[in-house]
Structures are given as structure tokens and as C-alpha cells.
Amino acid sequence: MEKIIVTEKAKEVIGQLKERYGDLMFYMSGGCCEGSQPMCYEKGEYKPGSRDVLIGEVEGSEFYLSEEQYQYYSYSQLLLDAAPGMGGGFSLESVLGMAFSVTTHALIAKEDAGVV
């Protein structure tokens, strides 16, 4: 099962950003201010640290979590969405008047669901 999935609206916004900026990447740090909001950058603009975790790709763009966020979401699947609003200060979608967001749902192990 994929750790990160994406809505149709987010796919549309990512497509518009790729046309404008080229390859992209996402990072969610969990720090203060905008840390719980996914940030979208041109690929290579942000350098993930040695403790950041690549959890997958959305529309061909790598999606990283800080180690702390990765631990927090270890039993969850993340859903990347986009809606009109103010994106993070340095996040690319803000130029489109859009904001990316993440919602989650818990993943249940087969053993926990009564399936062996």
C-alpha cells in the first residue's frame, strides 16, 4: 500500500506547477508555523537531510517527511490535496492562490483486523 496518495485537484495543481517550474519535490517538517503543511519546491531547491525520510512520490515528485513526522505518521496513509487558499510562504502553489494540505487515515495491520 502506498504511503502517500493524491487527489485529482492536487494532481491538477502539480501539473500546473510542473509546467511553470519543471521537476518538483515535497517536504513536510512538522516544525512550528507551516511545519504541518506540505511544502512544494523545485527539485533541488530544498536538500533533504540525512534524517528525512522519502515516503513515496506524487505525480513523479518525491515526498519527504522529517524523521519526527515519519514516526508520527508511521501507521497512517497520507492524502495530499489542494484547495484555494494561502499556501506556505515558500511553497510554490501559493503563486496559484492554492494551498496543499495533508489528511491521514490509520492503516490497520491484517492481524489487527482479524485477518491472519
Side-chain angles (χ1 to χ4, degrees):
M1 177 174 286
E2 294 179 60
K3 187 72 173 162
I4 178 86
I5 55 177
V6 61
T7 66
E8 289 301 317
K9 187 62 178 176
K11 287 179 183 180
E12 180 184 314
V13 172
I14 292 168
Q16 291 173 12
L17 293 173
K18 281 184 164 187
E19 286 178 17
R20 186 180 283 207
Y21 298 105
D23 291 337
L24 306 172
M25 60 92 58
F26 290 85
Y27 181 70
M28 203 162 84
S29 71
C32 68
C33 306
E34 298 161 345
S36 59
Q37 184 174 4
M39 302 294 283
C40 180
Y41 301 103
E42 290 180 57
K43 186 171 182 157
E45 182 180 9
Y46 177 84
K47 303 287 185 202
S50 62
R51 297 178 59 185
D52 295 327
V53 180
L54 174 63
I55 63 164
E57 291 187 357
V58 291
E59 298 299 289
S61 301
E62 296 172 337
F63 197 107
Y64 290 87
L65 295 177
S66 66
E67 180 181 42
E68 294 81 14
Q69 287 288 78
Y70 181 73
Q71 290 174 2
Y72 182 78
Y73 292 121
S74 61
Y75 297 103
S76 300
Q77 184 176 51
L78 285 69
L79 175 67
L80 179 68
D81 197 6
M86 292 298 296
F90 299 106
S91 195
L92 295 177
E93 79 279 7
S94 62
V95 301
L96 302 176
M98 300 296 288
F100 285 117
S101 64
V102 165
T103 55
T104 64
H105 71 271
L107 298 175
I108 300 172
K110 288 182 182 179
E111 299 81 33
D112 294 338
V115 178
V116 180

